Amino acid sequence: MRRYTLPIVLAVALVATSIWGYYQYNEKNDYHTYLDIQFQRQFYDLIGHVENAQVELAKAMVSGSTKDLSKHLNDVVFQSYMAQEKLTQLPLYHGAIRSTERFLNQLGDYSTAMVNKSLEGILLDEDEMTTLSELHTYANMLSQQLIELQQDIVKGGINFGDLRREANRDLSRVSDQMEDLGLINIEERMVDYPELIYDGPFSEHLQDIKPRLEGENITEEEAVTIARETFQEENIGNIQVVGDIENTPIPSYYLSGVRDGRLNGQNVSMAISKTGGKVVWYLNPRETGESTLGADEAIDRAEEFLNNIGYENMTSTYTSAYEGQIVINFAYEEDDVIVYTDLIKVKVALDNGEIIGLETEGFLINHHARDIEEPEITEEEARERLSSGVEVESTRLAIIPTAGKKEILCYEFKVKFGEDHYLIYIDAKDGIQREILLLVDQEDGTLVI
Amino acid sequence: MKRKIAIPLVTILIIGLFAVVFFENTHAQNLSWGSSGEEVSELQRRLTRWDYYDGPISGTFGPQTYEAVRLFQRRNGLTVDGVVGPQTRSALGMPTTTPAPTAPVSRGVSRSDDVNLLARTIYAESRGEPYEGQVAVGAVILNRIRSQDFPNTMAGVVYQPCAFEPVKRGTINDTPDDSAYRAARDALNGWDPTGGALYFWNPATATSRWIWTRTITLRIGRHVFGV
């Protein structure tokens, strides 16, 4: 009897393992199938949205009135963003779908820009209509290729679940699979599509923005000196240039240092522009103790700091405090006009009033001597454009940026509607409402107006 | 970079959610040459009743209506501009405002959970890196949201398949430390050490050849950042 014990135990174990294994296998298959059908669905949706975008675009082009045009373009906006959304949820390697993603995004952005134009009563010009028809050609091409791809997938039994597994193992093998899938072909053809120049959001050509910052080029030694002088009160020792920041709008030296004195050993870092030697950003990540300063004292402290390093006429516009720190936004002010584009942020520690962060990129890129035009409509006229349901609390003139990188002079109205505060911007030239911002008051954030 | 350029205003309210609310048609529109619609018909009816206008009730503000409005304004001591603004409106007895919208009782809410998601991603991707390196990882995610080559929401970017290792491994769900939270807040507040980078990778572990075709902007700690 005894000599059978071991074999029996082993047999039982084997059976148990088999059952467990079988169960695991089934479960794995279930997950795999589930995932695969989800991806298949996304893929079908993707095709559907691209097709719809293309059809709506075609309808928009033959629409006679600006009303019909905007109606159909609105659908293009929705369909193209949905298509982009589905595409980015598929387990596809980024390099293979990048231009397709961009195409779908730009199709949506461009259509949005055209809808806005139509709504303002501006007729689309010939170039814009040509761009629309070019976009239509590409949308057409894309949906055809996607349909072919879909058929291949159904026929050839490539499933997205497998693709996903491969992706986990090796991204480069995924890219081979992509080629099999034919996505690379689409991608190559998408690359040729023309660059769009338009006044819409996220316009590609905006990336080549030239900063307004001017000045002499500085050496590494000078950068170290500037760092030391700027943060004199912070006692930073051992400042070194540890790297370069290149291929960005403001090429800079990347420096790091160590705090001396009481908070010995705390690392700080910053970037100083190679042109003009300005601090682009500064970060001191120290933990803060119990708060002893109020917001007003912190704002005074930050203003004093900005004055010391040569920024004048800066007005605080917004503060937000958390965990013993406060971030204060400063905008440049000229002739009682707030210039929101020229933005500097200062972070102050609320335990001892020390400056623990600085961010000046908005200011360095945008600030220049401006000829601020006189508003063409009066404050009264602008106020008439507001809804009768709101209660105006304050008004001032402000320059705000548009999505297309232009600056417009607006009347800024802080209004109360129901329980919420809003900022409404009315163009000082033509009275068009340019922007509405809803202020969400949180216990730690307040707008300073 | 687009952030700095496009909407510094947005950053003013960076913690909050911005709702774009249209108060369309809540204030009576000015009627002028080229306007059309039921209100213009009403205007023409009133002007006809008082013999300022003898054209058709067409609902289109044309030359005849324009002259009639000017005549009305002249006779009633109003500014003669041919535009039916608030004063001419009230003189005509037309409603000066459409009904005010009912004020909502509830207050706006904000999506503060973006901070948590960003902090988790920063923690999972760059624990042990210098602080500015952590802020930089956060900035890359925010730059991706604004880029056309990537999804347009934070969840879309973070959970995009094949994008971030920790999402695949599940470490994205680890509880972040204080430093990751602070870095997430700094990134949301606009600090971008990378100058607009869209990619970062660790040269020691990166498997994709494609990633090296990117233009490098800077190196912090173990990570290389690029556009």
Side-chain angles (χ1 to χ4, degrees):
Chain A
M1 203 49 214
R2 188 165 294 166
R3 65 188 180 129
Y4 292 116
T5 314
L6 188 63
I8 287 170
V9 168
L10 284 177
V12 168
L14 183 66
V15 169
T17 315
S18 307
I19 292 170
W20 177 81
Y22 180 70
Y23 177 76
Q24 289 290 311
Y25 175 76
N26 269 347
E27 202 174 46
K28 190 214 105 188
N29 269 357
D30 285 351
Y31 283 136
H32 189 269
T33 313
Y34 175 74
L35 201 59
D36 189 50
I37 54 176
Q38 290 298 323
F39 287 140
Q40 296 281 3
R41 194 201 122 190
Q42 306 263 29
F43 196 76
Y44 272 104
D45 282 351
L46 166 66
I47 298 173
H49 291 305
V50 174
E51 273 181 331
N52 288 343
Q54 172 246 323
V55 169
E56 289 298 330
L57 201 51
K59 287 182 184 172
M61 285 190 298
V62 296
S63 293
S65 71
T66 51
K67 264 184 202 165
D68 296 324
L69 183 79
S70 11
K71 201 167 73 187
H72 291 297
L73 282 181
N74 251 335
D75 276 339
V76 177
V77 174
F78 171 71
Q79 296 290 351
S80 51
Y81 287 149
M82 286 301 282
Q84 196 258 5
E85 164 93 21
K86 303 286 173 185
L87 177 65
T88 56
Q89 284 176 25
L90 287 168
L92 303 172
Y93 153 65
H94 174 70
I97 55 167
R98 194 164 157 241
S99 354
T100 314
E101 270 182 62
R102 180 184 308 148
F103 168 74
L104 292 170
N105 247 330
Q106 290 197 331
L107 178 59
D109 290 351
Y110 191 80
S111 304
T112 308
M114 294 306 113
V115 168
N116 288 342
K117 262 192 147 173
S118 300
L119 286 177
E120 283 176 25
I122 303 166
L123 289 175
L124 304 194
D125 63 26
E126 211 169 300
D127 285 349
E128 287 161 341
M129 286 312 263
T130 315
T131 308
L132 282 184
S133 83
E134 274 170 7
L135 287 171
H136 176 252
T137 314
Y138 276 92
N140 215 345
M141 192 269 285
L142 180 61
S143 52
Q144 267 169 12
Q145 299 260 319
L146 287 173
I147 291 166
E148 277 170 34
L149 191 55
Q150 176 70 37
Q151 283 162 350
D152 286 353
I153 289 173
V154 174
K155 246 192 326 212
I158 301 173
N159 69 38
F160 282 104
D162 286 339
L163 208 60
R164 177 81 195 129
R165 254 197 334 227
E166 294 298 329
N168 283 346
R169 241 178 269 144
D170 189 348
L171 273 175
S172 60
R173 277 178 65 188
V174 174
S175 104
D176 293 342
Q177 279 229 358
M178 283 303 151
E179 264 165 67
D180 298 343
L181 263 174
L183 263 172
I184 295 285
N185 294 339
I186 298 183
E187 194 63 9
E188 273 165 11
R189 294 178 60 178
M190 291 313 275
V191 174
D192 310 330
Y193 97 93
E195 187 152 309
L196 302 179
I197 306 290
Y198 60 102
D199 204 5
F202 313 120
S203 179
E204 187 83 343
H205 69 281
L206 296 184
Q207 286 175 345
D208 310 321
I209 179 78
K210 289 266 172 297
R212 310 265 190 177
L213 174 66
E214 286 167 356
E216 301 279 308
N217 284 344
I218 60 159
T219 62
E220 292 192 9
E221 291 72 39
E222 284 168 323
V224 171
T225 314
I226 290 168
R228 192 171 297 118
E229 282 170 3
T230 307
F231 298 101
Q232 236 165 16
E233 291 177 30
E234 321 300 328
N235 297 324
I236 307 169
N238 196 22
I239 301 175
Q240 288 174 347
V241 173
V242 290
D244 286 315
I245 304 172
E246 287 161 329
N247 305 308
T248 65
I250 306 179
S252 314
Y253 295 112
Y254 164 35
L255 296 91
S256 85
V258 181
R259 292 291 310 280
D260 292 335
R262 191 167 60 81
L263 290 151
N264 218 347
Q266 175 68 57
N267 281 307
V268 299
S269 57
M270 72 187 91
I272 292 183
S273 69
K274 292 183 180 174
T275 308
K278 297 281 183 189
V279 178
V280 184
W281 54 263
Y282 168 76
L283 283 167
N284 173 2
R286 78 171 171 90
E287 282 171 35
T288 41
E290 202 180 321
S291 300
T292 57
L293 270 78
D296 292 341
E297 288 165 287
I299 292 174
D300 289 345
R301 179 72 192 83
E303 235 167 43
E304 188 193 314
F305 170 74
L306 285 181
N307 278 330
N308 286 345
I309 62 169
Y311 292 104
E312 278 162 6
N313 301 325
M314 301 302 290
T315 305
S316 62
T317 55
Y318 181 72
T319 63
S320 90
Y322 49 85
E323 288 165 12
Q325 317 180 341
I326 186 165
V327 175
I328 305 153
N329 289 17
F330 286 92
Y332 182 70
E333 188 173 352
E334 188 177 327
D335 304 335
D336 291 329
V337 178
I338 296 282
V339 185
Y340 277 116
T341 50
D342 302 3
L343 186 73
I344 293 182
K345 291 173 184 168
V346 182
K347 193 159 72 160
V348 179
L350 288 174
D351 52 359
N352 61 1
E354 202 172 52
I355 304 298
I356 53 172
L358 176 69
E359 204 272 336
T360 61
E361 210 170 345
F363 189 92
L364 297 182
I365 286 180
N366 294 311
H367 184 68
H368 61 287
R370 288 181 179 79
D371 240 343
I372 300 177
E373 290 171 17
E374 287 294 308
E376 286 178 24
I377 64 171
T378 63
E379 190 187 317
E380 263 321 296
E381 285 168 324
R383 196 180 285 252
E384 280 173 15
R385 307 291 175 129
L386 300 175
S387 161
S388 53
V390 303
E391 206 181 297
V392 177
E393 294 189 343
S394 62
T395 317
R396 65 179 168 187
L397 279 166
I399 287 181
I400 64 167
T402 65
K405 184 54 202 140
K406 286 183 188 143
E407 297 179 346
I408 41 177
L409 182 65
C410 286
Y411 285 100
E412 177 186 75
F413 292 97
K414 188 187 182 197
V415 304
K416 194 171 184 221
F417 178 63
E419 293 295 304
D420 285 316
H421 284 94
Y422 298 82
L423 289 177
I424 302 181
Y425 295 88
I426 305 286
D427 198 317
K429 210 172 203 170
D430 50 20
I432 289 175
Q433 175 179 305
R434 294 293 176 184
E435 184 94 60
I436 294 191
L437 304 177
L438 167 61
L439 298 175
V440 179
D441 288 326
Q442 298 191 318
E443 63 241 58
D444 48 11
T446 12
L447 186 89
V448 186
I449 257 188
Chain B
M1 279 330 303
K2 283 173 202 148
R3 162 172 40 103
K4 309 281 166 55
I5 303 151
I7 324 178
L9 259 180
V10 165
T11 50
I12 300 173
L13 307 164
I14 196 82
I15 331 165
L17 158 75
F18 303 57
V20 178
V21 179
F22 294 98
F23 286 141
E24 250 186 326
N25 293 332
T26 52
H27 193 282
Q29 297 282 321
N30 286 356
L31 300 175
S32 58
W33 198 314
S35 302
S36 61
E38 184 47 39
E39 281 228 285
V40 177
S41 301
E42 178 61 27
L43 170 70
Q44 289 168 337
R45 257 178 246 123
R46 281 170 196 261
L47 290 170
T48 309
R49 204 181 307 152
W50 298 317
D51 289 333
Y52 290 101
Y53 179 72
D54 56 1
I57 310 294
S58 58
T60 309
F61 200 121
Q64 273 180 302
T65 319
Y66 177 74
E67 285 308 325
V69 170
R70 287 180 65 96
L71 188 62
F72 176 83
Q73 288 172 329
R74 203 171 303 126
R75 295 232 181 117
N76 290 279
L78 299 161
T79 320
V80 183
D81 59 359
V83 175
V84 183
Q87 280 159 356
T88 313
R89 254 175 197 280
S90 63
L92 277 161
M94 287 172 71
T96 49
T97 53
T98 43
T102 322
V105 195
S106 60
R107 302 184 59 177
V109 287
S110 90
R111 294 197 300 195
S112 62
D113 204 57
D114 274 0
V115 175
N116 292 325
L117 184 54
L118 192 59
R120 288 211 307 264
T121 315
I122 289 172
Y123 183 65
E125 277 289 355
S126 61
R127 70 187 83 163
E129 290 289 305
Y131 181 74
E132 62 272 26
Q134 301 191 357
V135 178
V137 166
V140 165
I141 289 162
L142 295 171
N143 291 338
R144 284 190 175 191
I145 297 173
R146 283 168 212 113
S147 163
Q148 292 188 317
D149 299 355
F150 289 92
N152 302 322
T153 60
M154 188 176 291
V157 167
V158 170
Y159 294 116
Q160 185 173 25
C162 314
F164 295 106
E165 281 281 317
V167 174
K168 211 165 67 190
R169 287 198 307 265
T171 49
I172 182 87
N173 296 322
D174 294 355
T175 311
D177 58 7
D178 275 2
S179 163
Y181 266 107
R182 277 204 302 274
R185 287 214 171 91
D186 278 340
L188 282 168
N189 274 327
W191 268 261
D192 180 1
T194 68
L198 290 173
Y199 303 92
F200 65 91
W201 63 98
N202 183 338
T205 57
T207 49
S208 161
R209 257 173 292 127
W210 181 83
I211 198 76
W212 286 104
T213 63
R214 305 293 90 206
T215 313
I216 295 173
T217 61
L218 91 155
R219 291 160 194 269
I220 303 176
R222 287 195 303 268
H223 282 141
V224 178
F225 293 82
V227 284

